[in-house]
Amino acid sequence: NKNNLVVADFGCGDAKLAERLLAIKITNDNGKGCIGEPSSKNKKNSGKATFWCPFEVHSFDLVSGGNKLVTPADMCNVPLPNESVDVGIYSLALMGTNVADFVREGWRVLKFGGYLRVAEVRSRFETAANEDKEGREGGGKRGKMNNGMKLKCNAAAQFGIKQYNNGMDSTQPLMLIDEFLSLMERCGFQCTNFDRSNKMFLFMDFIKVDGSKGLSKNEEFSAKPCIYKRR
């Protein structure tokens, strides 16, 4: 259906998002919706109304595990045409060292004006770009060139958030989150929402800007690796 909202879930895992979205049904006549298949009572009351799902969902991960909703694919090269997606999702999916490649692919498949939603572990991004002095620092070329420099925190300034030092100082070391937001801006994404209200996760929303050209192939970025501890 040409009216369907096309969603691409990158690094989808068990495709739980696809399961939930594809279970939503609405009617053509009045737009009323329901979760799951319409009951016989709803079908009777709706007369000739047709129930249909308003979403088309593409779920990608390295392996499908036998899940028919999952398409095995490298997130840097998914089998979708250019500018074919309305909403892209990266939910705990930017785990590789080639995050810039993921961003480039997200830009490629999104329509201009399309939305990209990112959910990540806060500790991976809320750290200095040059914090790890044993050769494991995150960030990209800009972060390494600015090693030791004091810059204003762009994320805090843009969204009015006093974050890394509780507002006691207006200058701080360049943070990975600032590196990431700068990378997204250079790629052609405008950040419209930056949510740190959760203690463990941060959420970011972006729009693909009309006329943007995408990210240079020379760009690189990686966030701080996750450390898993036995509980």
Side-chain angles (χ1 to χ4, degrees), residues 130-200:
N130 61 333
E131 180 182 77
D132 192 334
K133 296 183 180 180
E134 297 180 9
R136 298 190 299 269
E137 71 264 17
K141 291 184 177 180
R142 181 182 171 194
K144 294 171 185 176
M145 288 189 298
N146 284 288
N147 185 20
M149 290 183 66
K150 297 287 186 177
L151 299 175
K152 286 189 176 181
C153 177
N154 296 330
Q158 182 176 358
F159 296 97
I161 303 168
K162 297 178 180 179
Q163 40 192 27
Y164 303 112
N165 59 359
N166 296 321
M168 297 300 293
D169 187 2
S170 62
T171 60
Q172 308 147 50
L174 187 66
M175 295 291 170
L176 283 180
I177 185 59
D178 295 302
E179 282 284 286
F180 180 72
L181 290 175
S182 179
L183 180 87
M184 297 297 287
E185 183 178 359
R186 295 196 299 276
C187 186
F189 287 108
Q190 178 185 356
C191 186
T192 59
N193 182 56
F194 186 84
D195 183 355
R196 298 175 62 254
S197 59
N198 188 284
K199 292 182 179 181
M200 293 184 63

Side-chain angles (χ1 to χ4, degrees), residues 1-7 52-57 86-87:
N1 192 319
K2 293 183 179 180
N3 295 322
N4 282 5
L5 190 74
V6 180
V7 179
W52 58 287
C53 179
F55 300 102
E56 176 184 330
V57 186
D86 296 295
V87 180

Side-chain angles (χ1 to χ4, degrees), residues 5-10 17 58 80 85-91 105-107 109-111 114-119 189 204-206:
L5 190 74
V6 180
V7 179
D9 187 2
F10 298 87
L17 176 64
H58 301 274
L80 288 176
V85 172
D86 296 295
V87 180
I89 307 292
Y90 287 104
S91 180
E105 186 68 350
W107 182 91
V109 302
L110 270 179
K111 300 174 183 178
Y115 292 89
L116 184 66
R117 308 207 70 181
V118 178
F189 287 108
M204 295 169 279
D205 295 334
F206 300 90

Side-chain angles (χ1 to χ4, degrees), residues 36-54:
E37 289 297 324
S39 65
S40 57
K41 181 179 179 180
N42 285 339
K43 289 181 178 179
K44 182 178 180 180
N45 292 340
S46 61
K48 297 181 179 180
T50 301
F51 286 86
W52 58 287
C53 179

